Amino acid sequence: MSGAETPIIGIDLGTTNSVVAVFRAGSVEVLPNELGESLTPSVVALDPRDSGVVVGRTARELVTRRPECGATSFKRDMGTDRTHGLGEERLTATELSAFVLKALRTAAERALGCEVERAVITVPAYFGEAQRRATLRAAELAGLKVERVLNEPTAAAMAYGLHRRAREGCFLVFDLGGGTFDVSVMELFEGVLEVRSTAGESRLGGDDFTAALVGAALERLGLDFELVEWKDPEGFAQLTKRCELAKRKLVDDAAFEIEAPALKGFLDAPRPVRLDADAVAAVFAPLLERLRGPCRQALRGAGLTADDLDEVILVGGATRLAAVRRVARELFGRDALDSVDPDLIVAHGAALQAALQADDAAVEDVVVTDVLSHSLGVAVAHEIAGRHVDGYFSPVIHRNTTIPTSRSNVYAPIRADQTVLELEVFEGESRRVQDNRLLGTLSVSGIPRGDDEGRRVEVRFTYDLNGILEVEATILATGRVFSRVFERSGTTMTEAERGEALTRLARLKADPRDEAVNAELIARAEALMVEVDEVGREALELALLEFERAIEARTPDLIRQARRQLRGLCEGIDGNDRW
Amino acid sequence: MVSEPDPLPDSNDPFEVLGLEPTADEREVRRAYAGLARRFKPERHPEQFQRLRRAYEAALDIARMQERFNADDDGEDEELEISVRGRERPSERETREIPTGGGEPAPGPSSVWRDYVETGRFDEAAERLEARIEAEPLVALHYLERFGLEMRRERPEEGMRQLARGIVADAALFPYVFQALSVFDRAALARRDEIVWPVLRSVSDRHGARFLFQERIEEFLGSGDTDLAFEEVEAPQFRRDAEDDPFLRRLAQRVAIAGRWWERGRAEALGAYVFTTLDDEYVERLYLEKGFRREDWRDSGFPEALDRYAAVYDVLSPDGSIVASMRFLREIREEPGGFAPAMRRLSLEKGDPPLVVDMVHALVGQGETEASSEAPDEECAAELRGILERGSWRRGWKPRRRTFPTRWALAAAMGLVTFCLIAAFARTTSHLLWAALLFPLAGGLLGWLYSRVAQRRKKAREASALAAGFSLAVELLGAVDRSPVAIASWLRGEIAAGRAEVPTGAATLDQSPAAMLIHLLEQRRRRLQGEEEANGGGDET
């Protein structure tokens, strides 16, 4: 392999903390940073004294004191154009991540005593294309060549599964980090670690639990969350820190106790705040509720029930919370495994993957396969009540398909005189493209006029391990091929995101023809559609279309009938739940 | 440096790719995959890995299905009848879960299935599908529909039976019955009595969905499968059930009418069928399915709606006859004088008597319209005579032009009268002069006016002559049994004029006018057909 002389490092780029590790001499070694610590807080700040950028614990301390100087939890904004204030500067999450990666690289170089150019970086499994793209750009900015973008739960499973290779079976990785939540169902057999399904939420993590506590504390004090955050950011940051620390102590069902700092203009002197166990439970309840969906979804995606699981692995610092553990126990009916350090396990996995990439003999016979976390497809129009209604999503590669993969569908133009097909490539699970993310478009022209047979266009999606999506459209009649590679370095996202926001706004306009009952049912079915596998999705799609046609046609009988049918289908799906 | 492994065998058979016997079980498949995956890691050999993965998923599915099959091989031999009489087993319906595919342990994502189809191994695909039918009829049905039935040629019965059972038992599947039926038709026409018919019957009984029968027939006609439509109503099951089901009887009648129109083309046959239905509810339903909204229907009224319907269904014959006929036919019901005058008017306006006759017959047969019992013989005889006098019922017949310039004679007479009137009241010569000037003017004006009127009348006459066709005359006279004498005399005239031949081998004219008539009708049809072919249909426009 070219460049085999420089080691490949594994990086866990987390929301709150980042870790770098390397596979050396047959085992994984976590590389300490300049402070001698394994965990480097993912915080970037601009030191107001010398205008230098500081990363890690230093920056975290700085930010606690001077919130306007730095940025935290920016991983949640990966792939968006939201900027964070760093003193006078405003930087995107990508740029901020680049600072963290650079710091990790420096740390690794010092620890290894050689130059480091290549890395395996982990991302939450539920990261979409834009977020992965942004991560890659950050690495590029940090001067790292990314050998592989690895899903965090997969990394965790590798680290977990590969050092007890004798064990076979299915296990679930429950990864609740600082800002993201991932659930992956894995199967280990014959030395092959196979990801069966993955689900998650890219904006749910320990930070949210902390914020909930901050909110509850302020409520106890009779203060307004937003007002305090705005008027006294320093005091607020202090409060957040105290809440965060107190939260970490909430391992058992203890009461939550902090001393709220003095808040300028709100609180003259520090005052103790106490929430008893019940109050804490009430504060966490809505967040805990959000953990259930992805778990269900992942199990369903793998075609398993909780009983089929051999083990449940908890990953991520937030899984230390007693409340989270309780939910996990409730969901899976067993105590989760927590013998591995939940903060470091992902980096371990990344290092293992790095060794795989480098063809390290020690991991020679290990095979790990991963899946696509979001369906990829194109926008299509369906015929409803004689008209073509566009904005529907037609998946080409379904999520939870093992990658690399290549799949194709055949599409045809709507109108007889149409010679150009504008393929809009989307990512997501919603049946309407407006709720999915636009990745880009591919224009196919020169479609012959004439009968349907000759006008069909085969659209092939090829998705490789590095997350590069190639879309290839072939006009079947003429054999002409159009293709576009959706590379992660593309910068088309800004406009697309803006378009998405506009669509969202447009959607807010109430549609008068939707009666509450019908709207509710459609929403329910569409929500379910995100959960079920592709077979169920197609069944739902059929029933939904039928229902929409009936609504469009405004025939009470047809509507009633279609509604009955759709509701039956939904109940059939919900009813399968064991939770 | 890692040495390149030998590539995977180039085969579409998943087991061959994995280097296994087709009988391999799940464990063996997994082991083979794991071994090969080590050689073809996704990082190093993405292409080969993809092939391996496909083969693995396919083989795994087959192996699992095999196991499932072996596991529940026993029993399951109950006859379809049990669930066809589904009302006796309500519990089945209640306990059935709507399939989602997710809760099932064995079958994987359907992408595997797709891969099957791509590899062309339909046998396995069919088996796999069958394994899912009972547990997940909706899913199975969906695939059946999606991939057509090629793969089911081999062994359709059992799967059909199972699917039928599922459909009958499960109310949620009701909207898909039609899809299923079309699948059955393609696959197992021979088994229709056993599979399709019971499903149709029981579903329709249970859900009150009589229109299923209609839609089915219409689909046959619409797709050009008139034979299927015929077979359907001729089938023993259908006939048996039709004995005590007026609905089915009417359906059979309509098919018969459609059949007669078949030679004119698909659209006409379908149109004849649809329009003899005359069932608001049904037609409306079709509208809705074809994308017309209730508002359109309400705002524009039935005739326009029909026009639209015809346009959608492509049943508009070149002159729009069927749609227009339909409109008139609806009026017949309300026409005070009974069907004979209405039909006559209709035939005049339409110029298409056979269709009209057919349709009126159908209506009478259905009790939709009363046949006028006050024997219109008198009137009809006159009509017939008129037709005979005008010479021919044949198409393209043009009435003789009047040679005498009546209108000019009339104009002159009128002018003269005007002149006389003015002269009678005239007191001065200047008045007379004025009259002399006005005379040609008035004459010309009147002549022009008359010619307008005459032209209109001539057109009407031509139309009526064209329209009053042979069949109409026959029908008006009561055809076969009401006025044999009139027909006989007419036939004699036809033969004498050399327009018809004495059929050989038939009974003599006087003995059996009916037989003769039938023969002649046949002759006419053939001749018309010949003419049309010769003209290349040009006279239709």
Side-chain angles (χ1 to χ4, degrees):
Chain A
M1 296 294 121
S2 61
E5 58 282 349
T6 68
I8 307 177
I9 53 170
I11 294 176
D12 169 16
L13 184 61
T15 310
T16 38
N17 291 304
S18 296
V19 183
V20 59
V22 76
F23 188 86
R24 229 176 9 176
S27 69
V28 174
E29 218 175 289
V30 173
L31 303 173
N33 60 19
E34 69 264 22
L35 303 175
E37 292 168 340
S38 307
L39 298 180
T40 305
S42 305
V43 183
V44 181
L46 205 62
D47 194 328
R49 285 162 305 190
D50 56 2
S51 291
V53 173
V54 285
V55 178
R57 188 156 299 283
T58 330
R60 167 169 278 176
E61 296 300 330
L62 190 64
V63 168
T64 318
R65 276 196 337 266
R66 308 275 306 267
E68 79 282 358
C69 286
T72 57
S73 296
F74 41 80
K75 185 182 177 183
R76 303 183 127 199
D77 298 320
M78 283 300 251
T80 70
D81 50 4
R82 181 175 165 201
T83 56
H84 293 253
L86 218 63
E88 301 287 289
E89 301 287 317
R90 296 207 68 85
L91 297 175
T92 62
T94 309
E95 293 161 318
L96 291 165
S97 298
F99 283 117
V100 176
L101 287 172
K102 207 178 276 174
L104 294 173
R105 182 184 169 200
T106 316
E109 282 175 346
R110 208 188 27 256
L112 294 171
C114 66
E115 212 166 305
V116 174
E117 284 168 338
R118 300 185 296 158
V120 168
I121 299 183
T122 62
V123 294
Y126 215 60
F127 255 20
E129 290 305 295
Q131 293 156 307
R132 284 161 198 261
R133 219 177 278 180
T135 307
L136 274 161
R137 273 224 299 288
E140 212 175 289
L141 291 173
L144 284 169
K145 181 175 182 293
V146 178
E147 290 290 321
R148 174 85 181 262
V149 175
L150 188 65
N151 288 333
E152 282 164 13
T154 312
M158 283 173 76
Y160 166 78
L162 295 182
H163 65 71
R164 45 179 78 198
R165 204 171 304 160
R167 285 286 254 302
E168 296 215 338
C170 293
F171 48 98
L172 180 141
V173 179
F174 183 99
D175 177 2
L176 186 65
T180 55
F181 178 48
D182 277 328
V183 184
S184 285
V185 176
M186 319 261 178
E187 191 179 1
L188 182 65
F189 64 94
E190 309 280 346
V192 174
L193 181 67
E194 180 181 306
V195 180
R196 293 274 295 266
S197 67
T198 188
E201 209 171 306
S202 54
R203 290 182 149 269
L204 174 62
D207 289 358
D208 296 291
F209 287 83
T210 310
L213 285 174
V214 172
L218 286 171
E219 205 172 85
R220 278 290 153 99
L221 295 169
L223 300 174
D224 184 83
F225 187 98
E226 281 74 23
L227 217 55
V228 174
E229 191 182 25
W230 177 45
K231 296 265 175 159
D232 184 11
E234 288 85 4
F236 186 84
Q238 195 55 240
L239 178 63
T240 306
K241 185 187 175 188
R242 290 184 190 183
C243 285
E244 168 71 32
L245 293 174
K247 183 191 80 177
R248 290 192 197 159
K249 296 200 189 84
L250 282 175
V251 281
D252 45 8
D253 285 335
F256 170 78
E257 271 175 288
I258 56 157
E259 194 181 51
L263 296 166
K264 226 181 302 153
F266 298 96
L267 215 58
D268 296 333
R271 196 191 293 175
V273 176
R274 186 175 190 280
L275 297 173
D276 60 21
D278 286 347
V280 172
V283 168
F284 285 164
L287 293 170
L288 296 173
E289 201 50 46
R290 283 166 67 195
L291 296 173
R292 294 166 193 271
C295 293
R296 227 183 313 186
Q297 202 175 310
L299 280 176
R300 202 173 271 153
L304 298 176
T305 66
D307 295 339
D308 300 324
L309 294 173
D310 294 297
E311 263 158 21
V312 174
I313 309 166
L314 297 183
V315 180
T319 55
R320 290 203 182 92
L321 269 175
V324 172
R325 277 163 188 261
R326 206 177 309 119
V327 169
R329 193 181 312 127
E330 199 186 305
L331 281 173
F332 308 113
R334 77 195 67 210
D335 278 323
L337 214 80
D338 57 344
S339 56
V340 215
D341 187 340
D343 285 323
L344 300 180
I345 188 166
V346 172
H348 270 264
L352 281 169
Q353 180 64 42
L356 271 173
Q357 296 290 139
D359 278 332
D360 195 304
V363 289
E364 181 51 41
D365 61 342
V366 173
V367 180
V368 183
T369 65
D370 212 334
V371 295
L372 190 66
S373 57
H374 298 270
S375 299
L376 294 167
V378 295
V380 295
H382 281 302
E383 200 193 310
I384 293 179
R387 291 175 303 133
H388 279 98
V389 181
D390 56 11
Y392 286 92
F393 180 60
S394 165
V396 177
I397 308 182
H398 288 268
R399 68 148 176 240
N400 293 337
T401 301
T402 300
I403 54 172
T405 188
S406 179
R407 293 284 153 91
S408 67
N409 273 358
V410 174
Y411 299 96
I414 299 170
R415 293 195 321 271
D417 57 347
Q418 188 176 346
T419 58
V420 176
L421 208 57
E422 200 73 27
L423 290 171
E424 291 176 302
V425 178
F426 282 89
E427 162 199 83
E429 310 307 323
S430 170
R431 64 190 284 265
R432 291 175 199 276
V433 291
Q434 64 191 13
D435 299 329
N436 293 334
R437 288 167 295 280
L438 179 68
L439 300 182
T441 60
L442 171 64
S443 186
V444 180
S445 55
I447 300 168
R449 289 191 174 83
D451 61 333
D452 280 350
E453 283 297 309
R455 292 160 56 73
R456 292 198 278 173
V457 175
E458 185 190 30
V459 178
R460 178 166 285 278
F461 277 39
T462 306
Y463 192 89
D464 75 4
L465 277 178
N466 288 314
I468 292 172
L469 170 68
E470 188 185 356
V471 178
E472 198 180 83
T474 313
I475 302 173
L476 291 177
T478 59
R480 200 159 154 214
V481 179
F482 297 80
S483 75
R484 177 171 166 194
V485 178
F486 289 78
E487 275 178 285
R488 292 212 148 115
S489 52
T491 49
T492 53
M493 277 317 290
T494 346
E495 276 204 9
E497 294 284 337
R498 200 176 297 134
E500 199 177 302
L502 282 175
T503 328
R504 252 199 310 280
L505 276 182
R507 216 177 64 223
L508 289 178
K509 279 183 219 149
D511 192 347
R513 99 199 140 161
D514 277 5
E515 289 171 35
V517 190
N518 294 347
E520 187 270 336
L521 187 56
I522 289 178
R524 176 180 174 189
E526 288 186 342
L528 276 175
M529 195 170 269
V530 179
E531 281 188 22
V532 298
D533 67 353
E534 65 171 289
V535 173
R537 176 205 287 263
E538 279 170 12
L540 269 174
E541 176 73 39
L542 265 178
L544 261 171
L545 272 176
E546 184 100 13
F547 188 46
E548 281 174 338
R549 286 192 181 117
I551 291 175
E552 197 66 36
R554 291 175 219 205
T555 325
D557 280 351
L558 282 183
I559 293 177
R560 253 197 308 280
Q561 183 199 321
R563 186 164 50 216
R564 235 191 346 263
Q565 181 209 343
L566 182 58
R567 178 162 295 140
L569 200 55
C570 288
E571 275 162 10
I573 296 167
D574 296 346
N576 283 346
D577 294 346
R578 313 186 139 225
W579 297 286
Chain B
M1 219 75 226
V2 183
S3 64
E4 281 297 304
D6 297 333
L8 292 166
D10 189 18
S11 164
N12 277 335
D13 183 338
F15 288 96
E16 210 174 312
V17 172
L18 294 170
L20 291 169
E21 291 297 310
T23 52
D25 66 10
E26 187 177 336
R27 194 165 181 78
E28 288 169 320
V29 169
R30 291 179 143 226
R31 190 169 295 149
Y33 164 73
L36 286 167
R38 257 178 223 115
R39 261 165 62 200
F40 302 101
K41 289 188 185 176
E43 290 89 358
R44 297 269 159 267
H45 307 96
E47 299 289 322
Q48 295 282 309
F49 176 77
Q50 277 189 58
R51 284 197 54 216
L52 173 65
R53 182 75 203 178
R54 267 158 105 101
Y56 166 62
E57 284 176 3
L60 198 60
D61 243 54
I62 295 170
R64 279 176 178 162
M65 197 230 12
Q66 205 69 45
E67 274 158 44
R68 232 176 102 164
F69 243 46
N70 296 343
D72 48 39
D73 213 10
D74 46 290
E76 291 307 314
D77 223 21
E78 42 185 318
E79 278 306 298
L80 179 68
E81 262 71 27
I82 298 173
S83 47
V84 163
R85 281 187 252 107
R87 264 182 277 227
E88 292 165 22
R89 300 172 57 187
S91 59
E92 186 182 351
R93 197 159 143 203
E94 278 148 27
T95 52
R96 180 174 293 276
E97 288 184 346
I98 305 295
T100 64
E104 284 291 308
S110 68
S111 55
V112 181
W113 167 262
R114 195 153 46 223
D115 289 353
Y116 272 150
V117 176
E118 281 170 16
T119 59
R121 299 195 52 168
F122 286 132
D123 294 354
E124 277 89 340
E127 276 182 27
R128 179 170 131 62
L129 191 58
E130 268 173 26
R132 293 184 77 168
I133 280 176
E134 201 151 22
E136 302 157 291
L138 184 55
V139 172
L141 177 59
H142 195 54
Y143 287 126
L144 276 178
E145 208 246 337
R146 198 153 123 197
F147 297 113
L149 251 278
E150 294 98 316
M151 73 287 281
R152 303 195 55 77
R153 268 186 307 233
E154 304 301 324
R155 40 222 243 47
E157 285 93 32
E158 191 41 41
M160 292 286 143
R161 233 187 279 272
Q162 283 179 352
L163 183 50
R165 217 177 286 162
I167 289 169
V168 171
D170 195 335
L173 291 178
F174 170 57
Y176 304 98
V177 163
F178 220 58
Q179 277 173 326
L181 289 178
S182 70
V183 170
F184 294 150
D185 283 329
R186 267 177 282 156
L189 264 181
R191 323 286 303 184
R192 183 166 42 212
D193 273 9
E194 287 168 51
I195 298 172
V196 176
W197 187 251
V199 171
L200 207 53
R201 269 235 76 102
S202 59
V203 170
S204 125
D205 285 351
R206 178 177 292 197
H207 301 287
R210 310 295 279 159
F211 59 85
L212 276 178
F213 297 103
Q214 286 174 322
E215 284 193 357
R216 187 168 154 78
I217 296 288
E218 186 172 319
E219 190 161 296
F220 287 146
L221 293 174
S223 60
D225 295 327
T226 333
D227 291 349
L228 289 185
F230 276 122
E231 275 179 42
E232 181 83 8
V233 297
E234 291 293 320
Q237 281 276 11
F238 192 106
R239 291 166 76 133
R240 199 157 52 242
D241 286 356
E243 274 170 27
D244 33 57
D245 188 339
F247 177 87
L248 294 179
R249 264 207 308 283
R250 286 212 296 274
L251 208 59
Q253 274 172 355
R254 288 177 202 146
V255 172
I257 292 168
R260 264 182 271 165
W261 279 86
W262 173 242
E263 62 200 38
R264 292 220 180 170
R266 178 175 76 84
E268 275 76 4
L270 182 60
Y273 168 77
V274 168
F275 294 128
T276 48
T277 302
L278 280 184
D279 176 347
D280 284 356
E281 206 180 309
Y282 172 59
V283 176
E284 188 170 346
R285 194 187 136 82
L286 291 173
Y287 270 79
L288 296 172
E289 282 181 359
K290 293 293 162 187
F292 290 115
R293 301 180 192 206
R294 194 173 256 277
E295 291 87 276
D296 299 340
W297 173 270
R298 226 183 1 235
D299 297 344
S300 54
F302 193 84
E304 282 73 20
L306 268 175
D307 284 341
R308 280 157 163 262
Y309 172 74
V312 166
Y313 253 94
D314 188 29
V315 293
L316 213 55
S317 55
D319 57 350
S321 63
I322 292 174
V323 176
S325 307
M326 180 63 192
R327 209 177 295 165
F328 294 125
L329 271 171
R330 285 192 60 80
E331 292 165 13
I332 289 178
R333 287 197 215 172
E334 284 90 45
E335 186 114 353
F339 90 90
M343 194 167 71
R344 194 156 48 247
R345 184 168 65 74
L346 183 55
S347 66
L348 293 179
E349 288 179 57
K350 275 315 310 128
D352 211 351
L355 173 63
V356 174
V357 169
D358 278 343
M359 289 196 282
V360 171
H361 251 202
L363 292 179
V364 173
Q366 291 163 26
E368 301 251 8
T369 300
E370 276 177 35
S372 89
S373 52
E374 68 274 17
D377 287 24
E378 209 53 22
E379 219 179 320
C380 291
E383 185 87 16
L384 179 63
R385 268 192 297 282
I387 292 168
L388 292 175
E389 275 165 20
R390 284 196 288 274
S392 174
W393 46 266
R394 253 179 295 189
R395 249 173 216 227
W397 179 84
K398 295 269 192 306
R400 221 151 36 92
R401 282 183 76 93
R402 285 189 193 212
T403 45
F404 186 70
T406 327
R407 79 188 83 146
W408 294 116
L410 199 70
M414 288 303 285
L416 197 65
V417 169
T418 317
F419 179 77
C420 291
L421 279 172
I422 294 170
F425 293 100
R427 270 175 272 164
T428 61
T429 43
S430 68
H431 281 129
L432 271 174
L433 273 174
W434 273 111
L437 270 173
L438 279 171
F439 167 75
L441 270 177
L445 190 68
L446 279 168
W448 177 77
L449 273 174
Y450 177 75
S451 72
R452 287 290 305 260
V453 173
Q455 232 165 9
R456 198 170 297 168
R457 278 176 56 189
K458 190 183 120 206
K459 266 190 190 155
R461 265 200 312 278
E462 275 177 3
S464 87
L466 271 173
F470 169 80
S471 299
L472 173 62
V474 171
E475 293 290 337
L476 288 173
L477 286 169
V480 183
D481 42 52
R482 222 189 287 171
S483 299
V485 182
I487 295 169
S489 66
W490 172 77
L491 279 174
R492 269 198 209 94
E494 284 287 281
I495 291 163
R499 284 190 293 265
E501 287 163 26
V502 180
T504 52
T508 65
L509 205 57
D510 285 319
Q511 278 170 338
S512 175
M516 181 65 60
L517 179 67
I518 289 162
H519 177 84
L520 278 171
L521 283 168
E522 191 54 37
Q523 220 174 29
R524 159 190 169 258
R525 195 178 59 77
R526 257 185 264 124
R527 198 180 329 157
L528 268 181
Q529 226 172 336
E531 271 174 29
E532 256 166 30
E533 271 162 28
N535 296 347
D539 60 349
E540 284 276 286
T541 50

